[in-house]
Amino acid sequence: MPEELKIGQKTNEGKTKVVHDIEGHPEWALIKSKDRITAGNNARSNEMEGKAAISNKTTSLVFEYLNKAGVRTHLVKLYGEDSFVAEKCQMIPIEWVSRRIATGSFIKRNTGVQEGYRFSPPKMETFFKDDANNDPQWSMEQIVATKFNFNGTLIGPDEYAIMAKSTVAIFEILEKAWASLNVALIDMKIEFGVNAKGEIVLADVIDSDSWRLWPSGDKRLMVDKQVYRDMKDVTNEGLETVKKNFQWVASKIQEFNQKPVGRAVVLMGSATDLDHCQQIQKACQSYGVPCEMRVTSAHKGTDTTMQILYDYEAAGIPTVFIAVAGRSNGLGPVTSGNVCWPVINCPPVKPDWGREDVWSSLRLPSGLGCATVLSPEAAAQHAAQILAMTDHVIWARQRATQLKNWIGLIHSDKKVRNA
């Protein structure tokens, strides 16, 4: 049972959810979904028993996945079947839409564009939330000119850029997750809010009202709200089909967080390099990459080294070897010459002979293909990028880290400009 919270007054109510204060927790809000489905800015609206629980489950699972990847959302915790606790935010009244495939309203607004046109990178659009005027499309200039200010944060060009970049990154992260289940994420809408600290975070909900999903990339198999929109007449049978689709989506999201399929193995030539190797291991773990460490010397224990390599390769688990050896690095080249997995050299360069020692990692005999980096963090990132080619969870952490670094630069630049 979840911790009992004292639900306060209603602060906002939309078509499909209600927001309440939580007494004793002024920094939190309760987001409660409704058993209601709508389309066309409420032009069509129906009760759908059980939808609240399905939508709440979907949103909570998606936000948990994004939080774990490193994308900041307002989710605090699930609370009951139809509600979740969120960080209280002032909402920015803009819908941020990402599109991979041209369909729906886009081809109606952009005459001549054929349905199925693929956007690379995803197409990003913004719409002002105004039901009376059918949520008009707004440009960056219009959003900035409005001078929105929420919790002390003025929405200027930098803030717009952060949300635009985040919108595409969030789409790509979820697109990869759905692709792992052979489902194409076609387009998606999200919203952002500003918390009490003035930080912009992903907010509101992401559920089956938020996206188009085509299993096997086939529009005829769609499992999103478009099925409801396309109904000529809404029937109980039709609503039951939509509900089953939504249930299927919620159940599949639980498969996003798969266990890692690959690993990194750090081979150190001496236990004296343990600190260097532990830094690699820590950085690997930050990307969700399992990392093992072994001590072996290609010079002093060649037979043992070869047996270790045979054992790992025979296990059939995709593996990236990271060789840590100072002085004369035979470990990386020997590993590269005897396995078919990637090998990264990360020598613990010392100030005395470092300039000379590093050449044993850089200048190799023909037929060997080691990469060489000097920092433990770079070695871990390189390993993660290799494994991310077949692991969407690691890919998500890579993408989120890139986004976080980019946002950090925007904040730093703004701080310097305003100093």
Side-chain angles (χ1 to χ4, degrees), residues 267-273 277 294-298 300 323-326 331:
L267 304 173
M268 66 188 90
S270 169
T272 58
D273 297 323
C277 296
R294 301 292 297 270
V295 178
T296 186
S297 171
K300 303 173 187 177
V324 176
L331 192 53

Side-chain angles (χ1 to χ4, degrees), residues 17 45-46 160 165 168 225 256:
K17 58 186 173 293
S45 180
N46 293 91
Y160 173 90
K165 189 88 167 180
V168 173
K225 195 169 75 170
F256 280 6

Side-chain angles (χ1 to χ4, degrees), residues 33 54-64 74-75 84 204-208 210 253:
S33 294
I54 299 168
S55 294
N56 188 55
K57 180 180 179 181
T58 301
T59 291
S60 298
L61 288 170
V62 170
F63 281 174
E64 285 172 359
H74 73 155
L75 174 71
F84 68 93
D204 194 51
V205 300
I206 296 180
D207 60 15
S208 285
S210 307
I253 294 171

Side-chain angles (χ1 to χ4, degrees), residues 350-411:
K350 302 294 194 298
D352 49 0
W353 288 92
R355 288 182 300 176
E356 289 77 13
D357 292 344
V358 74
W359 284 106
S360 62
S361 297
L362 294 173
R363 187 167 172 79
L364 308 176
S366 61
L368 303 181
C370 310
T372 298
V373 296
L374 298 183
S375 79
E377 294 77 14
Q381 183 178 2
H382 192 183
Q385 288 174 326
I386 292 168
L387 295 172
M389 295 175 69
T390 54
D391 189 319
H392 68 273
V393 177
I394 297 175
W395 192 95
R397 293 202 182 189
Q398 284 276 332
R399 192 69 179 87
T401 298
Q402 292 171 345
L403 175 65
K404 184 178 179 180
N405 291 340
W406 184 89
I407 291 174
L409 288 171
I410 296 295
H411 286 317

Side-chain angles (χ1 to χ4, degrees), residues 265-286:
V265 174
V266 178
L267 304 173
M268 66 188 90
S270 169
T272 58
D273 297 323
L274 181 60
D275 180 66
H276 188 83
C277 296
Q278 287 174 331
Q279 293 179 56
I280 297 173
Q281 185 181 54
K282 182 179 178 180
C284 280
Q285 291 168 346
S286 73

Side-chain angles (χ1 to χ4, degrees), residues 69-83:
V71 175
R72 179 81 180 278
T73 80
H74 73 155
L75 174 71
V76 175
K77 60 182 176 179
L78 190 66
Y79 186 77
E81 192 175 61
D82 62 0
S83 308

Side-chain angles (χ1 to χ4, degrees), residues 13 53 148-149 215 302 355-356:
E13 182 171 5
F148 289 123
N149 194 309
T302 308
R355 288 182 300 176
E356 289 77 13

